[in-house]
Amino acid sequence: MIRLGFGDRLMVITIYILLSILAFTTFYPFWNAAVISLNVGSDTAMGGVTFWPRAFTLENYAIVFNDARLLNGFWISILRTVVGTVGSIIVTAIFAYGLSRNDLMGRKFYMILCIVTMYFSGGLIPSFLLIRELGMMNSFWVFIIPSLVSVWNMIIFRTFFKELPAGLEESAKIDGCGNWGTLFRIVLPLSGPVIATLGLFTAVYHWNDWFLPSIYISNEHLLPIQTMLKQILNSNIVSEQVSQLDSAAQGQLAKMQTVTSKSLSMATMMVATLPIIMVYPFVQKYFVKGVLVGSLKG
Amino acid sequence: MAQLSVERESELKRRAARGGVLRRFAKQLDIQMMVLPGILLVLVFSYIPMYGVLMAFQDYSIFNGFLASPWVGLKHFRMFFESPEFYEVMRNTIVISLLKFFVGFPAPILLALMLNEVRNMAFKRIVQTVSYLPHFLSWVIVAGLVMSLLSVDNGSVNILMQKLNFIEEPINFLSIPNYFWTILVTTGLWKEIGFASIVYLAAIAGVDPSLYEAADMDGASKFKQIFLITLPSITPVVIIFMILAIGNLLSAGFDDILLLGVNPVLRDVADVIDTYVYRVGIQSSRFSYATAVGLFKAVISVGLLTMANYVARRSGHSLW
C-alpha cells in the first residue's frame, strides 16, 4: 500500500468534491422537473419548489394519461421505436454479414460506396425533396425506411462478425447450413452484446427524434410524442413572454388553476423520458464496449 | 520461393475468375442478396441527395423538376455572400463552434482523468451513471429542462441567485442575447461530457500499470503521473477525436439552437449555417439557395478535416 503525500491527498479530495458537484448538477435539473411534475401547479407558481414536492399530487399525470392526443403520440413513438429498431438492426446485420464475407464479389466497391456516405451527404434540402418525390410525406414509413441501413452500425457489426472464429462457419457449412442459416442460427445468436448496444442506440435515436416528423409530418395523428412536446414547450415560452407583458392579470389567472401549463409539460416530459431512463442502466455494461468498438475500429 | 507460389496461386485464381465471373456471381447469389437491399437503400437515400446537390447551381423550381430547371452557375453562392445575414450567420457559426470546441473537447478528458483517480467503486459508478444520463435524453427534453431551470417564474437558477443576493429581480435568461452563447455551451457540455468521457476512460484503463508503479518508486506525485504517464499514453486517442471534432467544427449545432433560440430577440446571435439552411430552405422554400449555403459549409468542413488530418499525420497519428 502506497501512502499518499499531502499534495496527492489534497488532489484526491478536490476530485471527489468536483465529481460530486458534477453529479449533482447533472441530476438536479431532472429531479427538479420530476418534483414539479408531482406538485400542484398553482402551488409551484408561488415559487420555491426545488427538492421536494410541497403539495403532492398525481393530477398532472392523470391529465397526461387522459389526453387522447398525447396518448396517440406515445403510441406513435412506441410503434416507430419498435418497428424502426427491429427493422434497422435486422437489415443492417444482414448487410454487414454479407460485407464481412471475404468471398463476396465486389465487397471493396460496396464498402467504398458506404464509407463515402460517412464523409459526404446531400444535406437537408436535397434529402427533403427526395422524400417528397418518393411520396413519403405524411407517411409512417418516413420514420422507418430511410434509417433501415446505418453505415456506422454496419461497420461495427461487420467488425464483430469478422472477429468470430472462422471455424464456426465452416462447421456450420459441414452440418449443412446455407449462408442464411449460418447467419441466423450461428452468427446472430452469438452477437447478443452488439445487438443490445446498437439496438439501444437505434432505439434512443428513434424515441428521441423530433425533427424528422416536424418537417415531414403535418397529420397530427402521426406526430410522435417528442414533436408534440416541442410544440407544447414552445407555446409555453410564448405564454411566458405574454405573461410578462401583463403579469398581474395573467398571474392571477395562473393561480386560480391547480394545473398549469408548466406542471403539465413537466409531467409530459417525465413520461416521454421514462422508457430510456429505465432501460439504459441495464445496457450500460454493453454499450461501453460498443462505443469502443465503434470509435477505435470505425 | 514462397512468394513465387503465392503468385502462381493468385494467377490460377485469376484465370478461374476470368472463366466465370457470372457463374461465380450466380453461385454466391445468396450472399449477394444479403448485400443488395442495403446497397439499394444507401444508393437511394445517400447518393441521390448527393446528386441533388447540383441544384445549388440551378434555379430549381418544383414545377420544372431537377432535370428541366435552368442552370445559373454560382448565382446562389454570390447571393449568400452578399446577403445581409451573411456576416451574422458566419460570425455565430464560427464563434459558437469555437466556444463549443474549446470547452467541449477538453472537458471529457478532464472528467476521465478525475474519474480515474477515484478508488471508491460505488461512488465512481454513481457518478458515471448519472453523467451518462443526459446523453440519452432528447434535445426537446433537455431544452425543456433548461427552460424550466431558467424560467422567470420560479426557475431554480433565479431562486438560487436571489437567495444568494446576486440579483434582486428574476432574470429572463433566455430572452437576453448576451447570455445565449453561454447557455448553449453549458447545455451542450452538460449533455455530452459524461458520455464523451467513456472512450478516454477506456484508453486510460489500457495504460500499463507498471509505469505507475515505477513512477511511485521514483516518488512522482499523482499530478506528475497524470502529466508524464497518463496524458502521453492517451494522446493517439485524443488526436483521433480532435480530428473528428475539427471536421465537425462548422456544425455549431442544430437541435439545441433551434429549441433554445425560439425567442425572436435571439435571432441575431442564434442563427448559424445549419439553422439558416433550415429556415430559408424548409420554411421559405428557397431550395436552390439553401442547398448552396449547405454546400458551402460542406466544402469548408471537408477542407478543415483534410487539413487537420494533414497536421496530425505530420505528428504521427492520422485517421486515414
Side-chain angles (χ1 to χ4, degrees):
Chain A
M1 185 69 208
I2 297 148
R3 264 187 308 142
L4 297 177
F6 174 74
D8 286 350
R9 229 179 303 162
L10 191 69
M11 190 177 89
V12 170
I13 291 170
T14 317
I15 285 174
Y16 272 84
I17 293 173
L18 287 177
L19 289 179
S20 304
I21 294 175
L22 177 91
F24 175 78
T25 44
T26 308
F27 194 64
Y28 177 78
F30 193 73
W31 178 254
N32 182 242
V35 166
I36 292 175
S37 76
L38 288 168
N39 202 42
V40 174
S42 56
D43 177 71
T44 308
M46 290 193 288
V49 175
T50 48
F51 291 102
W52 305 107
R54 193 168 46 203
F56 181 84
T57 179
L58 287 174
E59 173 106 21
N60 300 311
Y61 287 93
I63 292 178
V64 170
F65 282 117
N66 279 318
D67 185 315
R69 272 192 67 207
L70 286 178
L71 284 186
N72 186 59
F74 283 120
W75 170 235
I76 294 290
S77 281
I78 292 169
L79 204 63
R80 170 183 178 177
T81 305
V82 172
V83 178
T85 307
V86 172
S88 169
I89 291 295
I90 290 178
V91 172
T92 306
I94 293 174
F95 188 35
Y97 181 68
L99 289 171
S100 76
R101 294 281 301 260
N102 284 328
D103 52 340
L104 176 79
M105 281 172 72
R107 65 177 194 286
K108 245 200 184 132
F109 171 69
Y110 295 143
M111 279 307 288
I112 291 173
L113 269 184
C114 291
I115 289 170
V116 165
T117 65
M118 298 171 85
Y119 294 95
F120 302 95
S121 81
L124 181 64
I125 308 298
S127 308
F128 173 78
L129 292 173
L130 171 72
I131 297 286
R132 218 175 51 173
E133 288 296 310
L134 292 175
M136 282 160 80
M137 300 279 272
N138 269 322
S139 147
F140 179 74
W141 298 108
V142 76
F143 300 143
I144 312 295
I145 294 173
S147 57
L148 273 181
V149 164
S150 151
V151 171
W152 189 252
N153 289 354
M154 179 276 283
I155 286 177
I156 297 176
F157 264 129
R158 181 172 168 269
T159 311
F160 185 84
F161 292 157
K162 281 197 156 214
E163 278 170 8
L164 290 174
L168 274 176
E169 283 177 47
E170 281 161 27
S171 59
K173 291 264 153 63
I174 291 166
D175 290 346
C177 265
N179 287 313
W180 288 90
T182 313
L183 171 62
F184 280 104
R185 281 194 228 145
I186 313 284
V187 174
L188 285 185
L190 287 171
S191 312
V194 199
I195 294 177
T197 311
L198 298 181
L200 173 74
F201 290 160
T202 312
V204 167
Y205 159 74
H206 277 295
W207 183 265
N208 280 345
D209 177 51
W210 62 278
F211 182 68
L212 207 79
S214 82
I215 60 175
Y216 294 127
I217 304 290
S218 53
N219 175 357
E220 71 167 35
H221 295 292
L222 277 175
L223 279 185
I225 189 66
Q226 303 284 351
T227 313
M228 287 183 164
L229 192 56
K230 187 232 167 196
Q231 293 170 353
I232 296 172
L233 289 170
N234 275 7
S235 62
N236 270 3
I237 286 213
V238 175
S239 70
E240 188 161 290
Q241 306 297 327
V242 174
S243 71
Q244 272 200 305
L245 295 177
D246 193 3
S247 60
Q250 295 279 342
Q252 222 43 45
L253 193 71
K255 273 172 198 145
M256 306 268 288
Q257 302 166 321
T258 54
V259 172
T260 60
S261 57
K262 180 163 182 170
S263 66
L264 266 188
S265 50
M266 290 301 135
T268 317
M269 272 167 56
M270 285 300 124
V271 184
T273 314
L274 227 54
I276 286 164
I277 301 291
M278 291 192 308
V279 174
Y280 102 91
F282 297 102
V283 196
Q284 193 171 322
K285 61 172 183 232
Y286 295 125
F287 76 61
V288 172
K289 233 182 273 164
V291 171
L292 289 178
V293 177
S295 56
L296 298 179
K297 302 261 171 67
Chain B
M1 273 313 277
Q3 210 177 357
L4 226 149
S5 73
V6 169
E7 264 171 34
R8 190 176 304 154
E9 207 173 285
S10 68
E11 173 57 33
L12 283 175
K13 263 189 200 160
R14 226 175 291 145
R15 216 174 289 165
R18 223 180 293 143
V21 176
L22 272 179
R23 201 177 318 143
R24 252 178 83 214
F25 190 87
K27 226 176 158 187
Q28 55 167 239
L29 200 63
D30 55 340
I31 319 182
Q32 292 288 344
M33 289 309 288
M34 292 177 169
V35 179
L36 184 74
I39 287 294
L40 274 180
L41 285 164
V42 168
L43 286 177
V44 172
F45 291 105
S46 298
Y47 281 88
I48 293 181
M50 273 188 223
Y51 177 62
V53 158
L54 289 176
M55 82 172 79
F57 306 97
Q58 289 185 324
D59 265 338
Y60 178 85
S61 95
I62 315 165
F63 306 108
N64 294 335
F66 181 67
L67 294 173
S69 292
W71 295 91
V72 293
L74 295 176
K75 174 180 150 193
H76 297 291
F77 293 90
R78 224 171 304 137
M79 253 166 68
F80 175 51
F81 299 145
E82 286 162 8
S83 71
E85 293 101 342
F86 179 75
Y87 165 74
E88 262 165 17
V89 169
M90 287 312 290
R91 182 202 60 188
N92 295 341
T93 308
I94 292 168
V95 173
I96 294 175
S97 320
L98 287 179
L99 283 175
K100 279 188 176 173
F101 178 76
F102 282 110
V103 176
F105 186 73
I109 303 176
L110 197 69
L111 175 61
L113 290 176
M114 293 203 290
L115 276 170
N116 188 47
E117 298 299 326
V118 172
R119 292 284 159 264
N120 182 332
M121 288 320 280
F123 180 78
K124 188 170 174 176
R125 218 186 134 69
I126 291 173
V127 173
Q128 280 187 282
T129 305
V130 169
S131 69
Y132 298 162
L133 170 75
H135 172 81
F136 292 95
L137 305 182
S138 80
W139 265 112
V140 176
I141 306 273
V142 171
L145 294 177
V146 172
M147 288 172 198
S148 164
L149 279 183
L150 296 180
S151 88
V152 208
D153 54 332
N154 310 305
S156 294
V157 173
N158 271 317
I159 296 176
L160 179 72
M161 290 180 82
Q162 277 176 307
K163 280 211 170 128
L164 294 173
N165 284 324
F166 285 157
I167 50 172
E168 305 248 309
E169 283 289 301
I171 299 176
N172 190 358
F173 291 97
L174 277 167
S175 67
I176 299 172
N178 277 342
Y179 296 153
F180 186 65
W181 291 344
T182 313
I183 294 171
L184 212 58
V185 172
T186 315
T187 309
L189 187 67
W190 181 83
K191 193 174 189 305
E192 298 302 337
I193 184 173
F195 204 72
S197 71
I198 293 180
V199 264
Y200 300 116
L201 268 173
I204 293 173
V207 180
D208 185 357
S210 63
L211 291 175
Y212 294 107
E213 282 162 27
D216 257 331
M217 293 294 194
D218 293 342
S221 69
K222 290 230 166 221
F223 204 68
K224 269 203 166 147
Q225 291 179 23
I226 289 175
F227 271 92
L228 297 176
I229 300 173
T230 314
L231 276 178
S233 307
I234 64 170
T235 308
V237 181
V238 171
I239 289 184
I240 287 176
F241 275 76
M242 195 183 276
I243 297 172
L244 292 175
I246 290 175
N248 265 330
L249 206 53
L250 284 196
S251 298
F254 188 72
D255 297 63
D256 49 351
I257 296 180
L258 224 48
L259 291 165
L260 286 171
V262 266
N263 195 323
V265 298
L266 296 175
R267 170 70 56 83
D268 293 350
V269 292
D271 226 359
V272 295
I273 295 181
D274 286 334
T275 55
Y276 184 65
V277 169
Y278 166 70
R279 206 155 52 79
V280 295
I282 305 288
Q283 291 182 337
S284 318
S285 297
R286 294 168 63 192
F287 296 129
S288 281
Y289 179 67
T291 307
V293 178
L295 184 58
F296 167 72
K297 185 196 125 171
V299 169
I300 298 184
S301 296
V302 170
L304 282 172
L305 187 68
T306 317
M307 212 172 64
N309 193 57
Y310 175 76
V311 173
R313 187 180 291 168
R314 306 218 76 179
S315 73
H317 315 273
S318 81
L319 198 58
W320 66 77

